[in-house]
mmCIF file of all heavy atoms in Angstrom:
data_model
loop_
_atom_site.group_PDB
_atom_site.id
_atom_site.type_symbol
_atom_site.label_atom_id
_atom_site.label_comp_id
_atom_site.label_asym_id
_atom_site.label_seq_id
_atom_site.Cartn_x
_atom_site.Cartn_y
_atom_site.Cartn_z
ATOM 1 N N GLY A 3 3.813 1.461 -1.218
ATOM 2 C CA GLY A 3 4.418 1.607 -2.543
ATOM 3 C C GLY A 3 3.480 2.265 -3.528
ATOM 4 O O GLY A 3 3.881 3.098 -4.339
ATOM 5 N N TRP A 108 33.906 87.008 17.597
ATOM 6 C CA TRP A 108 33.103 86.227 18.539
ATOM 7 C C TRP A 108 33.176 86.779 19.956
ATOM 8 O O TRP A 108 32.387 86.402 20.797
ATOM 9 C CB TRP A 108 33.542 84.754 18.518
ATOM 10 C CG TRP A 108 35.028 84.556 18.596
ATOM 11 C CD1 TRP A 108 35.790 84.531 19.695
ATOM 12 C CD2 TRP A 108 35.886 84.399 17.495
ATOM 13 N NE1 TRP A 108 37.098 84.350 19.382
ATOM 14 C CE2 TRP A 108 37.184 84.251 17.999
ATOM 15 C CE3 TRP A 108 35.707 84.352 16.091
ATOM 16 C CZ2 TRP A 108 38.308 84.068 17.178
ATOM 17 C CZ3 TRP A 108 36.817 84.154 15.304
ATOM 18 C CH2 TRP A 108 38.096 84.022 15.832
ATOM 19 N N TYR A 169 38.289 85.304 34.011
ATOM 20 C CA TYR A 169 39.629 84.945 34.482
ATOM 21 C C TYR A 169 40.013 85.924 35.596
ATOM 22 O O TYR A 169 40.009 87.147 35.390
ATOM 23 C CB TYR A 169 40.651 85.035 33.351
ATOM 24 C CG TYR A 169 42.016 84.544 33.732
ATOM 25 C CD1 TYR A 169 42.293 83.172 33.813
ATOM 26 C CD2 TYR A 169 43.044 85.446 34.029
ATOM 27 C CE1 TYR A 169 43.553 82.713 34.164
ATOM 28 C CE2 TYR A 169 44.294 84.992 34.385
ATOM 29 C CZ TYR A 169 44.547 83.629 34.459
ATOM 30 O OH TYR A 169 45.785 83.169 34.818
ATOM 31 N N GLY A 199 26.009 71.584 8.607
ATOM 32 C CA GLY A 199 24.582 71.672 8.325
ATOM 33 C C GLY A 199 24.233 71.279 6.900
ATOM 34 O O GLY A 199 25.103 71.036 6.055
ATOM 35 N N SER A 237 17.247 64.326 23.427
ATOM 36 C CA SER A 237 17.644 64.169 24.833
ATOM 37 C C SER A 237 18.430 62.881 25.010
ATOM 38 O O SER A 237 19.354 62.807 25.827
ATOM 39 C CB SER A 237 16.407 64.168 25.727
ATOM 40 O OG SER A 237 15.591 63.030 25.464
ATOM 41 N N LEU A 319 8.268 26.922 -28.572
ATOM 42 C CA LEU A 319 9.383 26.137 -29.100
ATOM 43 C C LEU A 319 9.332 24.664 -28.710
ATOM 44 O O LEU A 319 9.982 23.844 -29.352
ATOM 45 C CB LEU A 319 10.709 26.746 -28.623
ATOM 46 C CG LEU A 319 10.963 28.188 -29.058
ATOM 47 C CD1 LEU A 319 12.269 28.693 -28.488
ATOM 48 C CD2 LEU A 319 10.981 28.297 -30.586
ATOM 49 N N ARG A 347 6.222 24.142 -39.741
ATOM 50 C CA ARG A 347 5.672 24.741 -38.521
ATOM 51 C C ARG A 347 6.473 24.373 -37.283
ATOM 52 O O ARG A 347 6.074 24.708 -36.174
ATOM 53 C CB ARG A 347 4.220 24.279 -38.343
ATOM 54 C CG ARG A 347 3.299 24.696 -39.477
ATOM 55 C CD ARG A 347 1.940 24.028 -39.366
ATOM 56 N NE ARG A 347 1.305 24.317 -38.091
ATOM 57 C CZ ARG A 347 0.167 23.751 -37.700
ATOM 58 N NH1 ARG A 347 -0.431 22.875 -38.494
ATOM 59 N NH2 ARG A 347 -0.350 24.045 -36.527
ATOM 60 N N LEU A 355 13.129 14.685 -35.724
ATOM 61 C CA LEU A 355 12.043 13.893 -35.158
ATOM 62 C C LEU A 355 10.844 13.871 -36.108
ATOM 63 O O LEU A 355 10.197 12.825 -36.282
ATOM 64 C CB LEU A 355 11.633 14.469 -33.800
ATOM 65 C CG LEU A 355 10.542 13.708 -33.027
ATOM 66 C CD1 LEU A 355 10.980 12.280 -32.769
ATOM 67 C CD2 LEU A 355 10.218 14.427 -31.724
ATOM 68 N N THR A 381 -9.929 -12.921 -46.990
ATOM 69 C CA THR A 381 -11.380 -12.965 -46.910
ATOM 70 C C THR A 381 -11.976 -13.631 -48.144
ATOM 71 O O THR A 381 -12.895 -14.457 -48.064
ATOM 72 C CB THR A 381 -11.945 -11.543 -46.752
ATOM 73 O OG1 THR A 381 -11.406 -10.955 -45.558
ATOM 74 C CG2 THR A 381 -13.459 -11.558 -46.663
ATOM 75 N N ARG A 395 -19.565 -22.419 -49.024
ATOM 76 C CA ARG A 395 -20.836 -22.283 -48.318
ATOM 77 C C ARG A 395 -20.900 -20.969 -47.550
ATOM 78 O O ARG A 395 -21.946 -20.311 -47.517
ATOM 79 C CB ARG A 395 -21.021 -23.464 -47.369
ATOM 80 C CG ARG A 395 -22.391 -23.507 -46.717
ATOM 81 C CD ARG A 395 -22.593 -24.846 -46.045
ATOM 82 N NE ARG A 395 -23.916 -24.945 -45.461
ATOM 83 C CZ ARG A 395 -24.437 -26.079 -44.982
ATOM 84 N NH1 ARG A 395 -23.727 -27.213 -45.057
ATOM 85 N NH2 ARG A 395 -25.652 -26.094 -44.465
ATOM 86 N N CYS A 469 -25.011 -24.747 -55.750
ATOM 87 C CA CYS A 469 -26.179 -23.871 -55.680
ATOM 88 C C CYS A 469 -26.005 -22.722 -56.647
ATOM 89 O O CYS A 469 -24.874 -22.337 -56.987
ATOM 90 C CB CYS A 469 -26.404 -23.369 -54.263
ATOM 91 S SG CYS A 469 -24.974 -22.531 -53.548
ATOM 92 N N LEU A 516 -40.896 -14.239 -52.708
ATOM 93 C CA LEU A 516 -40.862 -12.788 -52.628
ATOM 94 C C LEU A 516 -40.507 -12.458 -51.164
ATOM 95 O O LEU A 516 -41.363 -12.551 -50.285
ATOM 96 C CB LEU A 516 -42.220 -12.203 -52.990
ATOM 97 C CG LEU A 516 -42.288 -10.669 -53.070
ATOM 98 C CD1 LEU A 516 -41.419 -10.159 -54.212
ATOM 99 C CD2 LEU A 516 -43.737 -10.224 -53.268
#
Side-chain angles (χ1 to χ4, degrees):
W108 47 84
Y169 186 77
S237 65
L319 300 178
R347 299 171 57 186
L355 183 59
T381 301
R395 187 168 183 170
C469 56
L516 185 65

